[in-house]
Amino acid sequence: MQFITSDGVKLEYDDVGKGQPILIMTGYAGYKEIWRSQVEVLSQNGYRVINLDRRNHGRSETTTKGLRMSRQGKDVAELLEHLNLKNVDIMGNSMGAAIIWAYCSLYGDSNLHKVISVDQSPKMISEPDWPYGLLDLNWDNFPKASERMYAVHTTYQRINDETYKAVKEAQGDRKFDYTLNRPLLYDHAFQDWRDVISLLNIPVLFMSGGESPFWSPEHAVVSAKLCRNGESLIVPEAGHIIMSERQDYFNEKMLEFLAD
């Protein structure tokens, strides 16, 4: 399905199932098909799943417009309004999780029900009092050092075969334009969402991969303590793409948290 944003960009999304709405988003350079298993499980358990390819990601339109986190947060708000969704659960992996905070910074959490953040530190630049940043990124080597993530193998375990096949089929011969999207990566790496998280009133689950290649998994524990209704879970034997590396375990914990 397609949705056109207020600045004229076509976004691709899937709308599967009926019931409690949940919006899900993947990370930088990702495809929505990485959530294949979660879409299936959620739609079978009373959820209406909106699975979004963000602008310049997946099969959504590639554009030079709006290459910043705030615009992507606005895209989320516009899609929720377009679909007339209320009291929405929302889940994101990596940059997809950070987009949730971008949305909340602009619109608050009044239209959200619960949040799941999957292996994303809310502050990617390390400082003496925050050793949970991306690799060795600090103020001395920012922003260029954020691109070192490209050389990192993101998983600890092989992702599910069916999911891998679905992603590759969706990708086809498309290639993500890392040069074009550099401003988005830099804006992502610059942000500090801790103040936004501290003001949330809704339940938030911070999940981290015990073997994440990008940051200490303790970021989830510390982030949950910043939040009024925060929980944390460090998933053992998982890297950055937890939902596809430890699919069954992830789905179990996801459903447990989302259940009222």
Side-chain angles (χ1 to χ4, degrees):
M1 305 184 78
Q2 285 192 340
F3 165 70
I4 301 178
T5 65
S6 60
D7 61 344
V9 177
K10 293 181 181 179
L11 303 184
E12 292 280 344
Y13 69 96
D14 297 326
D15 188 342
V16 181
K18 296 181 179 180
Q20 166 64 25
I22 180 168
L23 173 68
I24 54 181
M25 297 176 287
T26 194
Y28 189 62
Y31 282 75
K32 57 183 169 57
E33 284 72 19
I34 197 70
W35 298 99
R36 179 200 62 82
S37 174
Q38 288 71 44
V39 171
E40 180 178 309
V41 168
L42 287 164
S43 63
Q44 292 173 352
N45 282 273
Y47 290 87
R48 177 184 176 185
V49 187
I50 311 301
N51 191 10
L52 174 65
D53 271 339
R54 296 176 292 107
R55 67 172 61 203
N56 286 23
H57 290 72
R59 302 197 70 83
S60 286
E61 183 178 350
T62 297
T63 177
T64 59
K65 295 188 291 186
L67 300 183
R68 58 185 61 87
M69 300 297 284
S70 58
R71 178 63 241 193
Q72 299 227 352
K74 184 173 175 61
D75 289 347
V76 168
E78 290 181 358
L79 178 60
L80 296 182
E81 182 178 9
H82 171 73
L83 295 174
N84 194 29
L85 296 180
K86 308 294 183 184
N87 197 38
V88 181
D89 290 318
I90 190 165
M91 176 167 63
N93 169 234
S94 195
M95 185 185 282
I99 299 301
I100 300 172
W101 313 139
Y103 166 88
C104 290
S105 73
L106 295 170
Y107 302 98
D109 63 1
S110 61
N111 196 35
L112 302 182
H113 179 238
K114 292 184 178 181
V115 174
I116 301 179
S117 170
V118 184
D119 205 50
Q120 175 60 52
S121 174
K123 174 175 165 56
M124 295 172 64
I125 299 175
S126 289
E127 293 185 287
D129 65 343
W130 184 263
Y132 311 109
L134 173 69
L135 301 172
D136 63 347
L137 185 64
N138 57 56
W139 288 114
D140 292 331
N141 60 24
F142 175 83
K144 192 63 179 176
S146 62
E147 296 186 69
R148 293 175 185 168
M149 63 177 284
Y150 298 156
V152 174
H153 186 71
T154 59
T155 59
Y156 180 74
Q157 294 197 45
R158 179 189 177 105
I159 71 170
N160 175 270
D161 288 340
E162 289 183 60
T163 299
Y164 181 82
K165 180 180 179 182
V167 171
K168 288 302 179 182
E169 287 179 350
Q171 182 178 10
D173 59 357
R174 294 170 65 97
K175 293 186 181 300
F176 186 77
D177 192 332
Y178 289 93
T179 301
L180 173 66
N181 286 288
R182 184 178 289 129
L184 176 61
L185 175 64
Y186 287 178
D187 189 45
H188 173 41
F190 175 75
Q191 301 299 325
D192 180 353
W193 301 112
R194 291 177 296 175
D195 62 322
V196 175
I197 290 170
S198 70
L199 295 174
L200 298 178
N201 296 301
I202 58 176
V204 182
L205 174 61
F206 297 88
M207 299 179 70
S208 63
E211 304 296 334
S212 179
F214 291 127
W215 28 55
S216 165
E218 292 297 321
H219 73 80
V221 177
V222 177
S223 296
K225 291 178 180 178
L226 295 173
C227 194
R228 296 174 183 174
N229 291 294
E231 301 177 27
S232 64
L233 177 64
I234 298 176
V235 180
E237 299 183 0
H240 188 54
I241 316 298
I242 305 171
M243 63 282 191
S244 296
E245 296 180 56
R246 298 214 49 200
Q247 181 176 283
D248 293 341
Y249 181 83
F250 181 94
N251 291 345
E252 176 187 344
K253 297 302 180 182
M254 172 188 69
L255 290 176
E256 284 180 5
F257 175 76
L258 291 175
D260 283 321

